[in-house]
Amino acid sequence: MLRHEFHPGRLVTGATALAVAALYAGDATGDWQTPWYAVFPVLVFGLLLAGTAGWAGYRVRRRRADQAASTDSSGAPASTSGSHAMR
């Protein structure tokens, strides 16, 4: 049993943040020279990729939920559940 749902958009967002941090860390330690504007293409591409991954993950979760709801017929109908009185 899973403890929580997998969200690929959040994973890609975190990887993008780590890549930006690595660029700045490498520049701060003097390992390489990073121009100030170099982070923008990495950030924009990473966030676009994260948005696409999040949308695809959402669609997969919705499709699985819809398929599970359409095949699940073991529950009692709402009118016999006792929550509302029928007249």
Side-chain angles (χ1 to χ4, degrees):
M1 178 182 222
L2 294 175
R3 296 180 74 148
H4 57 83
E5 294 178 340
F6 176 65
H7 295 279
R10 292 180 183 180
L11 177 70
V12 176
T13 303
T16 301
L18 286 174
V20 168
L23 282 174
Y24 281 130
D27 188 33
T29 59
D31 291 340
W32 58 75
Q33 293 294 326
T34 305
W36 64 270
Y37 55 84
V39 78
F40 292 117
V42 173
L43 186 63
V44 169
F45 178 72
L47 291 179
L48 285 174
L49 189 62
T52 303
W55 176 79
Y58 169 77
R59 296 294 299 161
V60 167
R61 285 191 305 276
R62 283 288 304 251
R63 182 173 294 156
R64 286 185 184 168
D66 289 345
Q67 287 175 352
S70 68
T71 59
D72 184 25
S73 62
S74 61
S79 62
T80 62
S81 66
S83 61
H84 297 284
M86 300 280 300
R87 294 183 193 223

